[in-house]
Amino acid sequence: MCCNNRYAEAKEIYAKHGIDTDAVIEKLKSIPVSLHCWQGDDVKGFDQDGPLTGGIQTTGNYMGKARNPEELIADMEEVLSLCPGAKKLNVHACYAIFEEDGFVDRDKIEPRHFKKWVELAKKYNMGIDFNPTFFSHSKVKDGLTLSSPDKATRDFWIAHGKACIRISEYFAKETGVPCVMNIWTGDGYKDIPADRMGPRLRYKESIEAILSEKFDKNLVKPCVESKVFGIGVEAYTVGSAEFALTFAATHDGVLPLMDNGHYHPTEVVSDKIPALLAFFPEIALHITRPIRWDSDHTVLFDDETKEMAKEIVRNDALDRVYMALDYFDASINRIAAWVIGFRSWQRALLLAMLTPNAKFKALQDENKLTELLVAQERVKTLPFGDVWAEYCVRCGAPTDCKLWDKIDEYEKTVLAKRV
Ligand code: RNT
Ligand code: ZN
């Protein structure tokens, strides 16, 4: 046994800093984080056989990728068992499951194509978030969807968006949890455009057309996700930061969604979270780890991840920020990638909740900035790991020292057989 049970001592130490570790553990257990189904099969989905498009890319070819709904759902169940904390499922429209009655195109998908996802959600008492899939499809015309100059193309994708609103509402009704529906397109140009505004006006009108579908705003939370650039669309992205933010700010009930891989590398989403919370009742996040570009590496317990969690926790916004993971690494065991990322975000939330935030704010307001720096450095070495281990145990999830054996066993007994 490599995890000594030092929780009792850790609890006392944190109590001296005014923190009740038991209360923190209980609270964290109830906060859902959305787990993205697309980590399991390199964003392939079940409705087409073409390449991944939209300026996003998975790299690597590690063995054991899920090849069908059964395998993907089995893998997700394994992941759920290895992650502490409350979860939500995050499903993309391209993960529609077509049974006996056969394939329909994306403009015609219906709630019944997502029955299996609802079953999975109910089995684990989870809500579901949803994403129309505006990429990897023959109707993406010249790299464009909702912003295309071709009306038939726009109409197809608008119909897809509307179908997704109906499916989102179905998810919310079935699970009793509101469904966050995120609109992201990879629309853009590789080289200098002659018209930057036209595509944005068309994109705006198309999203408005999608949102003209009737839905209950308490059940469906539409978001618009921005991006700075994608692979093959380096010069211009229609859904830029200013576009998405202004769209959300000017359309009632629409949330801005920030993906921390979608900004210039010197910008940090941690700083943007409180700026948006000053204006929006609710916002949404995609949590990833960009290396040099939107590379969607597995989320780690690194400084910016911790900083993002801190901004949510210390602004008392855990019920105002919809948190979803969004990365896809095909170069390592995909189950491990999923689990490392989920556990890292849980760790970041736990660490933020174990921080004497009120005391730190007071020091800032009293302009005791030297003392603040000393105190901030001090808490970095408090026995966080012991509380984390206890949290895992109380959630019925493996502690860190048991994780590798579980991952290795699943690889040997399940993934290795997928040849
Ligand atoms: C792409 C966006 C988008 C996708 C998913 C699969 O850069 O981050 O959110 O990753 O929709
Ligand atoms: Zn994203």
Side-chain angles (χ1 to χ4, degrees):
M1 173 86 176
C2 60
C3 294
N4 298 317
N5 190 359
R6 298 181 306 204
Y7 177 67
E9 203 180 327
K11 182 177 149 94
E12 266 176 42
I13 294 171
Y14 276 104
K16 287 193 190 126
H17 291 264
I19 291 158
D20 177 346
T21 51
D22 287 332
V24 164
I25 288 175
E26 274 318 296
K27 169 124 203 236
L28 183 56
K29 270 164 110 177
S30 70
I31 294 159
V33 174
S34 209
L35 184 69
H36 55 316
C37 74
W38 52 93
Q39 161 56 40
D41 72 339
D42 312 341
V43 209
K44 175 116 189 44
F46 308 136
D47 72 345
Q48 53 82 39
D49 238 345
L52 177 60
T53 68
I56 53 179
Q57 214 159 60
T58 54
T59 54
N61 190 22
Y62 198 84
M63 56 95 135
K65 162 172 153 179
R67 297 162 300 184
N68 53 49
E70 292 68 37
E71 290 180 354
L72 189 66
I73 287 174
D75 289 357
M76 284 192 94
E77 294 201 67
E78 176 67 12
V79 170
L80 295 174
S81 79
L82 300 180
C83 294
K87 292 103 182 167
K88 235 179 150 181
L89 279 182
N90 207 353
V91 178
H92 240 285
C94 60
Y95 291 81
I97 299 175
F98 302 111
E99 292 177 297
E100 327 60 73
D101 43 355
F103 172 83
V104 297
D105 212 346
R106 287 194 196 157
D107 57 334
K108 306 239 160 39
I109 47 171
E110 290 178 37
R112 67 193 164 93
H113 300 119
F114 295 87
K115 247 181 19 226
K116 288 234 168 80
W117 290 109
V118 168
E119 280 165 24
L120 179 66
K122 285 185 176 166
K123 184 168 169 193
Y124 293 91
N125 202 14
M126 301 182 287
I128 308 181
D129 292 331
F130 199 45
N131 308 261
T133 311
F134 297 105
F135 52 83
S136 302
H137 191 279
S138 59
K139 291 232 162 55
V140 178
K141 191 171 187 302
D142 308 325
L144 305 174
T145 61
L146 292 173
S147 71
S148 169
D150 176 51
K151 184 169 181 310
T153 299
R154 288 200 306 281
D155 286 347
F156 174 84
W157 290 110
I158 290 167
H160 175 55
K162 289 180 164 194
C164 288
I165 288 193
R166 296 190 290 271
I167 295 162
S168 298
E169 200 166 57
Y170 154 76
F171 285 152
K173 284 184 178 154
E174 287 290 323
T175 62
V177 181
C179 173
V180 175
M181 191 193 95
N182 178 43
I183 296 175
W184 171 77
T185 74
D187 289 22
Y189 285 102
K190 181 183 172 78
D191 223 325
I192 316 301
D195 177 11
R196 287 191 164 87
M197 186 156 157
R200 288 188 174 134
L201 288 175
R202 291 191 290 268
Y203 192 23
K204 173 173 175 278
E205 272 179 22
S206 295
I207 304 174
E208 284 167 349
I210 291 173
L211 299 176
S212 73
E213 179 74 20
K214 287 241 169 323
F215 64 95
D216 181 341
K217 285 191 177 141
N218 295 312
L219 297 183
V220 180
K221 310 271 179 175
C223 305
V224 184
E225 179 181 11
S226 70
K227 189 159 178 173
V228 63
F229 78 91
I231 297 290
V233 281
E234 287 84 0
Y236 168 78
T237 297
V238 183
S240 60
E242 293 73 17
F243 175 92
L245 197 53
T246 313
F247 189 98
T250 53
H251 291 75
D252 197 32
V254 178
L255 282 60
L257 187 148
M258 295 190 291
D259 180 313
N260 66 308
H262 291 192
Y263 297 86
H264 187 279
T266 62
E267 292 181 70
V268 281
V269 163
S270 53
D271 185 63
K272 299 174 193 295
I273 291 170
L276 265 53
L277 286 174
F279 295 93
F280 289 93
E282 294 183 315
I283 65 169
L285 291 181
H286 272 182
I287 301 153
T288 184
R289 180 166 55 108
I291 297 198
R292 324 243 179 262
W293 66 289
D294 183 34
S295 58
D296 284 300
H297 280 65
T298 301
V299 172
L300 299 180
F301 187 47
D302 58 17
D303 284 351
E304 174 55 7
T305 305
K306 290 179 200 166
E307 217 53 36
M308 283 165 60
K310 265 193 220 166
E311 288 299 338
I312 302 168
V313 169
R314 68 189 179 192
N315 293 313
D316 208 11
L318 280 163
D319 55 351
R320 295 172 59 199
V321 181
Y322 294 100
M323 303 175 286
L325 298 169
D326 178 21
Y327 54 85
F328 19 94
D329 193 342
S331 72
I332 58 172
N333 178 310
R334 291 172 186 78
I335 311 289
W338 244 325
V339 171
I340 293 166
F342 193 93
R343 290 172 70 105
S344 295
W345 183 245
Q346 289 277 309
R347 270 199 181 96
L349 289 173
L350 182 64
L351 184 70
M353 292 164 80
L354 291 173
T355 302
N357 294 307
K359 189 175 147 204
F360 286 7
K361 279 187 191 175
L363 288 174
Q364 177 175 319
D365 290 348
E366 291 157 19
N367 202 36
K368 294 183 177 164
L369 300 183
T370 312
E371 189 180 341
L372 173 60
L373 202 56
V374 170
Q376 281 174 328
E377 287 304 288
R378 165 74 191 97
V379 297
K380 286 184 180 171
T381 51
L382 292 183
F384 165 75
D386 299 328
V387 184
W388 166 250
E390 181 70 13
Y391 175 65
C392 291
V393 170
R394 290 197 195 172
C395 289
T399 52
D400 292 348
C401 62
K402 300 200 182 107
L403 197 58
W404 169 247
D405 286 347
K406 303 255 183 205
I407 287 167
D408 195 38
E409 187 192 333
Y410 193 77
E411 176 168 316
K412 288 188 176 120
T413 56
V414 181
L415 303 183
K417 306 215 161 110
R418 292 178 189 165
V419 279

